[in-house]
Amino acid sequence: MIYKNEIKILATGLFALTVVSCSDILEKEPILDTSSSIIFASHSKIKSNLEGLYATLGSGIPSYFFETDYRGEDIERIIDNGGLNSYDMNISVDGSSSAWNSMYKAIGETNVFLNHLADAKEVVGDDYERLKSEALFIRALSYYYLNVLYARTYKLFPDAKSVPIRLGTAETENNDLAASTIEEVHSQILSDLSDSNISFLGEEVGTLNGITHATKAAAYVLRQRIYLEREDWNNVIAEGEKIKGYSLVDLRTVFTTPYITNEGIFSFPYSDKKKNSLAGSYYVGNNVAIDDNYGITANPLYKQQQDVRISDLSIVRGDRITIAKYTDRSTGTDWIPVFRYAEVLLNLSEAYYNIGNEAKAKELLLLVRRRSIAKSADALDETKLSGTTLRDAIYNERRLEFLGEGIRSIDIHRRGETFLKRAGSLREIKVLPTDKNYIWPIPLSETTQNKLLTADN
């Protein structure tokens, strides 16, 4: 993997936009290649370059969401499309390159940014630590996404190989590099998200800047996800309880303009349908739909018409039901939520359950559920929520709550569960944690350059 010692700078003031026009945030293309001596001589250009890092990472997020959703059993493939090979769990060394390349591009550009930022402390003054910490968050999130797709489950294989950790900027440092272990990747992510680094991040809630930039809360949620993978339940709780000022809102407002609510913790905004085709894939229903026969909505408790997630955030098209969270197919201006407060609460619910505090786990589960369906209309019997019934209810609530948000297959993977789904009435797809295709192969674009890696890692 090679990346240049050059910075692509974006238009100055990329994020200095009104709520009405903030859809341009991830759609600016680099306008020129400029030497680092020029870019890092200006505070405004340095800040614009940071926005470019968000844009680079954001450019790969729609594809990542597709792939992680398709791996789960709640999404049904309608047509036999080669682009949906992740649904069949048969991604090839050629097909696995998109996520790999986009995430390592974000990592590479971030490393270059950090290297030059260190020499520009006098230029940015008091902003130095904040800019540095935001860049480290971008790198940490990129490594998290890579680890999810290309590494085995930490719970079952804690010593397994993950991906190379690239921290340098010179080309010679990044060609031949062996894969690090999952443990090492986790350690790198947590190092980038250290308490010291997080302390310099912002704390804005319910603002454009607060939802489109790294904040303390966003970093805490990412650390929560790492601790969920490690089943370190006490730290999952500790991270979640640090997140203050957020609240659940009418769920429909999370997915409608202006997309800025007190529930949103971190999102990627889009305005170009070429870069965000979530609506074209989910809402239109030509490629995929919600698997109403074998997925979460096959359970009557998670297909009640009184539930907002069914009545307002899904739509019936013929004999199928599709996701209606992303609806702007014509312009692709939908925002993609990466972290929402609902996830924090359900992460906490799962953690409290696992340390034996069922009362707290149930309380948090119902807090999320009652936002979407009133107790008086709900067929779920709250009195039976204990033991494995409570655990399964937490798992199922996550499946319905985050349909189309790239989380279901992450949960399967981190728990070391089997991928099991039906591709129509005659074919079953079953992939065990020990199977080769449980994770993606290292792409050919990497192994042809990196002599220390093979497709099987």
Side-chain angles (χ1 to χ4, degrees):
M1 185 69 169
I2 298 175
Y3 47 82
K4 302 292 185 181
N5 271 328
E6 295 179 347
I7 299 293
K8 302 280 192 179
I9 67 170
L10 304 183
T12 301
L14 190 58
F15 269 79
L17 303 168
T18 65
V19 170
V20 175
S21 63
C22 63
S23 57
D24 289 337
I25 289 174
L26 292 182
E27 310 312 326
K28 295 289 188 181
E29 296 292 342
I31 56 175
L32 71 163
D33 292 340
T34 307
S35 69
S36 59
S37 61
I38 296 176
I39 294 173
F40 286 87
S42 164
H43 193 167
S44 63
K45 287 181 179 179
I46 292 172
K47 291 181 68 175
S48 291
N49 196 67
L50 176 66
E51 310 304 352
L53 301 182
Y54 284 105
T56 298
L57 177 57
S59 67
I61 294 301
S63 175
Y64 175 84
F65 269 53
F66 295 152
E67 304 297 357
T68 50
D69 280 339
Y70 295 166
R71 283 162 57 86
E73 76 276 39
D74 294 324
I75 301 296
E76 172 190 13
R77 187 178 70 177
I78 296 173
I79 62 173
D80 187 9
N81 185 323
L84 302 180
N85 287 336
S86 55
Y87 180 88
D88 286 334
M89 306 291 287
N90 67 351
I91 287 289
S92 67
V93 292
D94 293 320
S96 67
S97 62
S98 177
W100 181 280
N101 291 341
S102 64
M103 297 308 163
Y104 269 114
K105 181 180 180 183
I107 290 167
E109 291 182 3
T110 300
N111 289 342
V112 174
F113 176 86
L114 288 167
N115 183 56
H116 289 296
L117 183 67
D119 295 326
K121 291 184 179 180
E122 293 184 2
V123 178
V124 293
D126 292 341
D127 275 350
Y128 171 75
E129 295 291 354
R130 180 184 60 80
L131 295 171
K132 173 186 172 185
S133 294
E134 286 195 48
L136 289 171
F137 171 86
I138 292 169
R139 186 170 73 184
L141 185 57
S142 300
Y143 276 122
Y144 168 77
Y145 285 142
L146 286 165
N147 192 68
V148 165
L149 288 176
Y150 296 95
R152 294 205 176 269
T153 302
Y154 179 83
K155 175 181 179 179
L156 302 178
F157 309 100
D159 299 322
K161 294 292 185 180
S162 180
V163 299
I165 298 176
R166 291 190 162 98
L167 303 178
T169 58
E171 292 179 2
T172 54
E173 293 180 68
N174 294 282
N175 278 341
D176 297 331
L177 192 62
S180 297
T181 64
I182 303 172
E183 186 76 51
E184 290 168 333
V185 172
H186 282 179
S187 294
Q188 182 60 50
I189 292 170
L190 294 174
S191 175
D192 285 346
L193 302 176
S194 68
D195 287 341
S196 175
N197 290 331
I198 290 176
S199 69
F200 295 103
L201 294 174
E203 298 181 276
E204 294 183 63
V205 178
T207 68
L208 174 64
N209 192 67
I211 198 172
T212 57
H213 284 71
T215 59
K216 288 183 174 66
Y220 292 144
V221 183
L222 184 49
R223 291 206 307 201
Q224 257 198 327
R225 287 200 184 182
I226 297 300
Y227 291 129
L228 280 169
E229 287 189 5
R230 301 173 69 84
E231 296 195 343
D232 184 344
W233 306 118
N234 287 322
N235 269 322
V236 171
I237 293 168
E239 299 300 328
E241 291 184 343
K242 293 172 185 174
I243 299 171
K244 308 294 184 182
Y246 294 87
S247 61
L248 297 177
V249 300
D250 183 334
L251 188 54
R252 292 163 291 197
T253 66
V254 173
F255 297 96
T256 54
T257 186
Y259 303 103
I260 300 169
T261 71
N262 283 354
E263 180 167 348
I265 294 177
F266 184 68
S267 295
F268 284 107
Y270 295 85
S271 69
D272 187 344
K273 64 182 178 182
K274 294 181 294 183
K275 295 184 178 180
N276 172 26
S277 55
L278 287 177
S281 182
Y282 294 128
Y283 183 60
V284 177
N286 292 333
N287 295 328
V288 297
I290 297 172
D291 192 336
D292 208 31
N293 294 311
Y294 306 104
I296 186 60
T297 58
N299 184 330
L301 292 176
Y302 300 91
K303 194 188 175 181
Q304 299 180 78
Q305 286 302 312
Q306 298 92 335
D307 192 316
V308 167
R309 296 167 295 191
I310 298 299
S311 62
D312 289 61
L313 295 179
S314 67
I315 185 170
V316 176
R317 296 191 182 281
D319 60 350
R320 298 186 177 94
I321 180 173
T322 64
I323 297 170
K325 290 179 175 178
Y326 316 103
T327 59
D328 199 335
R329 184 190 184 196
S330 62
T331 63
T333 58
D334 301 294
W335 287 29
I336 297 179
V338 176
F339 301 136
R340 295 197 278 118
Y341 189 57
E343 181 189 343
V344 175
L345 296 176
L346 290 176
N347 290 346
L348 285 168
S349 179
E350 185 174 344
Y352 276 115
Y353 170 81
N354 278 286
I355 66 169
N357 191 340
E358 289 195 356
K360 187 65 174 179
K362 178 178 175 180
E363 174 192 338
L364 294 167
L365 164 66
L366 292 175
L367 188 61
V368 175
R369 186 171 179 85
R370 290 290 162 257
R371 181 260 295 271
S372 295
I373 183 169
K375 180 179 180 179
S376 59
D378 194 356
L380 177 71
D381 187 349
E382 294 183 8
T383 65
K384 296 182 179 179
L385 291 177
S386 64
T388 57
T389 300
L390 174 58
R391 180 203 64 192
D392 292 345
I394 296 168
Y395 289 1
N396 287 334
E397 202 67 30
R398 292 178 68 91
R399 290 172 64 180
L400 182 60
E401 179 71 19
F402 302 117
L403 263 177
E405 297 182 54
I407 289 182
R408 173 54 182 160
S409 69
I410 294 175
D411 285 345
I412 294 172
H413 177 273
R414 70 176 169 86
R415 296 181 189 131
E417 298 171 348
T418 296
F419 284 100
L420 179 61
K421 50 192 173 181
R422 300 195 182 273
S425 60
L426 302 178
R427 188 162 65 97
E428 180 182 84
I429 299 171
K430 183 177 182 179
V431 182
L432 303 175
T434 52
D435 289 340
K436 181 178 179 180
N437 57 330
Y438 195 83
I439 60 174
W440 282 10
I442 305 299
L444 189 63
S445 59
E446 175 71 26
T447 57
T448 54
Q449 298 183 67
N450 188 343
K451 297 180 180 63
L452 297 181
L453 279 185
T454 65
D456 295 330
N457 205 6

